Amino acid sequence: MEVVEVLHMNGGIGETSYANNSLVQLKVISMTKPITEQAIADLYRSTLPRSLCIADLGCSSGPNTLLVVSELIKAVERIRKKLGHQSLEFHVCLNDLPGNDFNTIFKSLSSFQEKMKKQLGSSFGPCFVTGVPGSFYGRLFPTNSLHFIHSSYSLQWLSKVPEGVENNKGNIYMASTSPPSVLKAYYEQFQRDFSVFLKCRSEELVGIIEEEKMDSFNIPQYTPSPMEVKSEVQNEGSFAIDRLEATEVNWNAYDNEFCPSEAFKDGGYNVAKCMRAVAEPLLVSHFGEIIIDEVFSRYREIVANRMSKEKTQFINVVVSLTKNG
């Protein structure tokens, strides 16, 4: 029996359909809602993506499918509005085995979009929804393409019936009368399947910067205080200090100055451009070019948020020296 070919929930909206008989699954989704919402909210805060790709693995069909998606999107939108960030695009990937009733899902997308716009307002979206048929015990998505993966009441299904269970007489599953070899076969199949699942998802999830690369990178810069400068000049002995001053410069180079360009009104934009002009070659040499646009896009958001809450300044040390003797 090929599980991929035969396993799917009852389609349609009839009396015996999964759509009308999935209250237990709905209860579990409701119970785990605080966890999933916290997880995606934390993801958004830490990454500040301009577009967010969510995958629901084992989505089936019916009201539960788009309920999960809508709650995840609402959680992100609440945080986004609270932080005052720009709207973002959503890409939703709904995955299940090929026999799943994707047609019923697709027919409901129009009403789903309208409902979301009504609930979240005109700033919501756009939201793109894609059906992805296939087993999640294998690769489903391009490398580094997903931000968030959700799966509920799906991973208990194995990729196949374990081998070596022919002696499980009188049973169709693990039972108290099953031989130990049968229990072992089921457990080992789970181990293989779940390991493959995790490996595939790790390749598909976005990893902006690998942890090892991050840990091995340090900026070769030190900003000394006036006293530290004075101390080193005196200790070295070749020069006498004529003047030693500390000055303050606003992070926004165009602060309090007239400039007709709208771009200069965005202090975060100005600082991000300034820092990119200085730091990009150093970052590219270590991390590569592919991350640079995203890094400085996020940096701009962080800086803009900081500048909106406090006075932000660079401290500059100016020293004038005269050679001794």
Side-chain angles (χ1 to χ4, degrees), residues 11 28 53 58 65 79 94 108 122 128 130 132 149 195 206 209 224 232 251 257 264 286 293 298:
V28 171
C53 188
T65 299
I79 298 298
L94 302 176
S108 66
S122 58
F128 307 100
T130 306
V132 184
I149 299 172
S195 179
V206 171
I209 297 175
E232 291 307 309
W251 278 15
E257 294 183 18
F264 294 126
H286 189 82
D293 287 341
R298 297 182 186 187

mmCIF file of all heavy atoms in Angstrom, residues 11 28 53 58 65 79 94 108 122 128 130 132 149 195 206 209 224 232 251 257 264 286 293 298:
data_model
loop_
_atom_site.group_PDB
_atom_site.id
_atom_site.type_symbol
_atom_site.label_atom_id
_atom_site.label_comp_id
_atom_site.label_asym_id
_atom_site.label_seq_id
_atom_site.Cartn_x
_atom_site.Cartn_y
_atom_site.Cartn_z
ATOM 1 N N GLY A 11 -13.137 14.405 1.163
ATOM 2 C CA GLY A 11 -13.289 15.738 0.604
ATOM 3 C C GLY A 11 -14.725 16.214 0.589
ATOM 4 O O GLY A 11 -15.637 15.570 1.129
ATOM 5 N N VAL A 28 -7.942 21.191 19.116
ATOM 6 C CA VAL A 28 -6.489 21.190 19.293
ATOM 7 C C VAL A 28 -5.881 22.485 18.752
ATOM 8 O O VAL A 28 -4.983 23.078 19.372
ATOM 9 C CB VAL A 28 -5.857 19.967 18.585
ATOM 10 C CG1 VAL A 28 -4.341 20.075 18.574
ATOM 11 C CG2 VAL A 28 -6.296 18.683 19.272
ATOM 12 N N CYS A 53 6.476 34.221 4.341
ATOM 13 C CA CYS A 53 5.995 32.984 3.728
ATOM 14 C C CYS A 53 5.669 31.964 4.813
ATOM 15 O O CYS A 53 6.544 31.549 5.578
ATOM 16 C CB CYS A 53 7.037 32.427 2.762
ATOM 17 S SG CYS A 53 6.426 31.025 1.805
ATOM 18 N N GLY A 58 0.063 19.396 5.886
ATOM 19 C CA GLY A 58 -1.055 18.541 6.265
ATOM 20 C C GLY A 58 -2.295 19.383 6.483
ATOM 21 O O GLY A 58 -3.029 19.215 7.460
ATOM 22 N N THR A 65 -8.555 24.641 7.767
ATOM 23 C CA THR A 65 -7.403 24.965 6.925
ATOM 24 C C THR A 65 -7.108 26.458 6.924
ATOM 25 O O THR A 65 -6.014 26.895 7.293
ATOM 26 C CB THR A 65 -7.644 24.491 5.481
ATOM 27 O OG1 THR A 65 -7.822 23.076 5.482
ATOM 28 C CG2 THR A 65 -6.473 24.845 4.584
ATOM 29 N N ILE A 79 1.076 42.872 15.671
ATOM 30 C CA ILE A 79 2.413 43.316 16.049
ATOM 31 C C ILE A 79 2.908 44.405 15.095
ATOM 32 O O ILE A 79 3.491 45.408 15.523
ATOM 33 C CB ILE A 79 3.390 42.128 16.044
ATOM 34 C CG1 ILE A 79 2.960 41.087 17.078
ATOM 35 C CG2 ILE A 79 4.806 42.595 16.325
ATOM 36 C CD1 ILE A 79 2.968 41.594 18.502
ATOM 37 N N LEU A 94 -0.168 25.893 1.185
ATOM 38 C CA LEU A 94 -0.991 24.858 1.795
ATOM 39 C C LEU A 94 -0.591 23.501 1.231
ATOM 40 O O LEU A 94 -0.769 23.241 0.044
ATOM 41 C CB LEU A 94 -2.472 25.131 1.532
ATOM 42 C CG LEU A 94 -2.982 26.491 2.039
ATOM 43 C CD1 LEU A 94 -4.436 26.694 1.626
ATOM 44 C CD2 LEU A 94 -2.845 26.593 3.553
ATOM 45 N N SER A 108 -12.838 28.507 -1.858
ATOM 46 C CA SER A 108 -13.124 29.355 -0.696
ATOM 47 C C SER A 108 -12.159 30.527 -0.555
ATOM 48 O O SER A 108 -12.313 31.358 0.342
ATOM 49 C CB SER A 108 -13.069 28.510 0.592
ATOM 50 O OG SER A 108 -11.757 28.038 0.829
ATOM 51 N N SER A 122 -7.678 48.168 5.059
ATOM 52 C CA SER A 122 -7.130 48.348 3.715
ATOM 53 C C SER A 122 -5.622 48.146 3.650
ATOM 54 O O SER A 122 -5.055 47.926 2.584
ATOM 55 C CB SER A 122 -7.470 49.747 3.201
ATOM 56 O OG SER A 122 -6.954 50.738 4.087
ATOM 57 N N PHE A 128 -0.931 35.915 -1.076
ATOM 58 C CA PHE A 128 -0.918 34.931 -2.158
ATOM 59 C C PHE A 128 -0.996 33.530 -1.564
ATOM 60 O O PHE A 128 -0.237 33.199 -0.646
ATOM 61 C CB PHE A 128 0.359 35.077 -2.986
ATOM 62 C CG PHE A 128 0.605 36.477 -3.477
ATOM 63 C CD1 PHE A 128 1.498 37.313 -2.825
ATOM 64 C CD2 PHE A 128 -0.066 36.963 -4.584
ATOM 65 C CE1 PHE A 128 1.727 38.604 -3.257
ATOM 66 C CE2 PHE A 128 0.143 38.253 -5.034
ATOM 67 C CZ PHE A 128 1.037 39.073 -4.378
ATOM 68 N N THR A 130 -0.992 29.339 -2.266
ATOM 69 C CA THR A 130 -0.559 28.312 -3.189
ATOM 70 C C THR A 130 -0.828 26.933 -2.617
ATOM 71 O O THR A 130 -0.603 26.704 -1.422
ATOM 72 C CB THR A 130 0.959 28.429 -3.467
ATOM 73 O OG1 THR A 130 1.253 29.751 -3.904
ATOM 74 C CG2 THR A 130 1.404 27.429 -4.512
ATOM 75 N N VAL A 132 0.293 23.038 -2.477
ATOM 76 C CA VAL A 132 1.530 22.289 -2.707
ATOM 77 C C VAL A 132 1.290 20.813 -2.401
ATOM 78 O O VAL A 132 1.429 20.375 -1.257
ATOM 79 C CB VAL A 132 2.685 22.820 -1.834
ATOM 80 C CG1 VAL A 132 3.985 22.089 -2.153
ATOM 81 C CG2 VAL A 132 2.843 24.317 -2.005
ATOM 82 N N ILE A 149 6.617 27.539 9.620
ATOM 83 C CA ILE A 149 5.980 26.277 9.253
ATOM 84 C C ILE A 149 5.048 25.837 10.376
ATOM 85 O O ILE A 149 5.438 25.807 11.548
ATOM 86 C CB ILE A 149 7.027 25.173 8.997
ATOM 87 C CG1 ILE A 149 7.942 25.567 7.832
ATOM 88 C CG2 ILE A 149 6.354 23.844 8.706
ATOM 89 C CD1 ILE A 149 9.111 24.627 7.628
ATOM 90 N N SER A 195 13.136 12.333 11.412
ATOM 91 C CA SER A 195 14.457 12.862 11.114
ATOM 92 C C SER A 195 14.491 13.466 9.711
ATOM 93 O O SER A 195 15.045 14.562 9.498
ATOM 94 C CB SER A 195 15.509 11.758 11.241
ATOM 95 O OG SER A 195 16.790 12.247 10.923
ATOM 96 N N VAL A 206 14.097 29.901 5.953
ATOM 97 C CA VAL A 206 15.030 30.990 5.731
ATOM 98 C C VAL A 206 16.063 30.991 6.863
ATOM 99 O O VAL A 206 15.703 30.959 8.033
ATOM 100 C CB VAL A 206 14.286 32.337 5.704
ATOM 101 C CG1 VAL A 206 15.275 33.486 5.702
ATOM 102 C CG2 VAL A 206 13.376 32.408 4.490
ATOM 103 N N ILE A 209 21.417 34.457 8.239
ATOM 104 C CA ILE A 209 22.840 34.350 8.520
ATOM 105 C C ILE A 209 23.079 33.079 9.321
ATOM 106 O O ILE A 209 22.433 32.856 10.350
ATOM 107 C CB ILE A 209 23.356 35.565 9.325
ATOM 108 C CG1 ILE A 209 23.187 36.854 8.516
ATOM 109 C CG2 ILE A 209 24.812 35.383 9.738
ATOM 110 C CD1 ILE A 209 23.560 38.103 9.266
ATOM 111 N N PRO A 224 37.267 55.213 21.203
ATOM 112 C CA PRO A 224 37.794 55.548 22.528
ATOM 113 C C PRO A 224 37.131 56.784 23.113
ATOM 114 O O PRO A 224 36.643 57.663 22.392
ATOM 115 C CB PRO A 224 39.276 55.808 22.246
ATOM 116 C CG PRO A 224 39.287 56.321 20.846
ATOM 117 C CD PRO A 224 38.211 55.545 20.133
ATOM 118 N N GLU A 232 46.681 57.583 26.134
ATOM 119 C CA GLU A 232 47.615 56.973 25.181
ATOM 120 C C GLU A 232 48.597 57.984 24.612
ATOM 121 O O GLU A 232 49.779 57.667 24.384
ATOM 122 C CB GLU A 232 46.841 56.285 24.047
ATOM 123 C CG GLU A 232 46.088 55.045 24.485
ATOM 124 C CD GLU A 232 46.977 54.054 25.204
ATOM 125 O OE1 GLU A 232 48.057 53.713 24.676
ATOM 126 O OE2 GLU A 232 46.606 53.633 26.325
ATOM 127 N N TRP A 251 22.221 61.484 14.623
ATOM 128 C CA TRP A 251 22.266 60.354 13.692
ATOM 129 C C TRP A 251 21.765 60.760 12.301
ATOM 130 O O TRP A 251 22.279 60.311 11.306
ATOM 131 C CB TRP A 251 21.392 59.214 14.222
ATOM 132 C CG TRP A 251 22.068 58.368 15.248
ATOM 133 C CD1 TRP A 251 23.210 58.656 15.947
ATOM 134 C CD2 TRP A 251 21.637 57.081 15.695
ATOM 135 N NE1 TRP A 251 23.507 57.638 16.797
ATOM 136 C CE2 TRP A 251 22.568 56.652 16.676
ATOM 137 C CE3 TRP A 251 20.562 56.255 15.380
ATOM 138 C CZ2 TRP A 251 22.448 55.430 17.334
ATOM 139 C CZ3 TRP A 251 20.443 55.048 16.033
ATOM 140 C CH2 TRP A 251 21.377 54.628 16.998
ATOM 141 N N GLU A 257 17.658 70.682 8.984
ATOM 142 C CA GLU A 257 18.056 71.346 7.756
ATOM 143 C C GLU A 257 16.960 71.223 6.716
ATOM 144 O O GLU A 257 16.292 70.203 6.637
ATOM 145 C CB GLU A 257 19.349 70.739 7.199
ATOM 146 C CG GLU A 257 20.563 70.974 8.079
ATOM 147 C CD GLU A 257 21.829 70.430 7.449
ATOM 148 O OE1 GLU A 257 21.808 70.193 6.221
ATOM 149 O OE2 GLU A 257 22.818 70.246 8.158
ATOM 150 N N PHE A 264 14.824 62.570 2.593
ATOM 151 C CA PHE A 264 15.634 63.031 3.704
ATOM 152 C C PHE A 264 14.826 63.186 5.000
ATOM 153 O O PHE A 264 15.379 63.453 6.052
ATOM 154 C CB PHE A 264 16.324 64.343 3.342
ATOM 155 C CG PHE A 264 17.336 64.183 2.246
ATOM 156 C CD1 PHE A 264 17.269 64.963 1.106
ATOM 157 C CD2 PHE A 264 18.344 63.242 2.352
ATOM 158 C CE1 PHE A 264 18.200 64.813 0.088
ATOM 159 C CE2 PHE A 264 19.281 63.083 1.340
ATOM 160 C CZ PHE A 264 19.212 63.867 0.201
ATOM 161 N N HIS A 286 32.474 38.677 4.217
ATOM 162 C CA HIS A 286 32.294 37.585 5.185
ATOM 163 C C HIS A 286 31.020 36.791 4.949
ATOM 164 O O HIS A 286 31.027 35.558 5.024
ATOM 165 C CB HIS A 286 32.284 38.154 6.608
ATOM 166 C CG HIS A 286 32.323 37.105 7.685
ATOM 167 N ND1 HIS A 286 33.501 36.510 8.089
ATOM 168 C CD2 HIS A 286 31.340 36.529 8.423
ATOM 169 C CE1 HIS A 286 33.232 35.616 9.037
ATOM 170 N NE2 HIS A 286 31.934 35.620 9.260
ATOM 171 N N ASP A 293 20.782 43.377 1.073
ATOM 172 C CA ASP A 293 19.561 44.189 0.982
ATOM 173 C C ASP A 293 18.659 43.955 2.182
ATOM 174 O O ASP A 293 18.106 44.902 2.757
ATOM 175 C CB ASP A 293 18.808 43.878 -0.315
ATOM 176 C CG ASP A 293 19.483 44.452 -1.545
ATOM 177 O OD1 ASP A 293 20.305 45.377 -1.380
ATOM 178 O OD2 ASP A 293 19.205 43.971 -2.653
ATOM 179 N N ARG A 298 16.235 45.702 7.350
ATOM 180 C CA ARG A 298 15.888 45.498 8.758
ATOM 181 C C ARG A 298 16.570 46.533 9.644
ATOM 182 O O ARG A 298 15.980 47.031 10.610
ATOM 183 C CB ARG A 298 16.302 44.094 9.195
ATOM 184 C CG ARG A 298 15.587 42.987 8.451
ATOM 185 C CD ARG A 298 16.012 41.637 8.959
ATOM 186 N NE ARG A 298 15.451 40.558 8.166
ATOM 187 C CZ ARG A 298 15.559 39.279 8.473
ATOM 188 N NH1 ARG A 298 16.196 38.918 9.556
ATOM 189 N NH2 ARG A 298 15.030 38.363 7.685
#
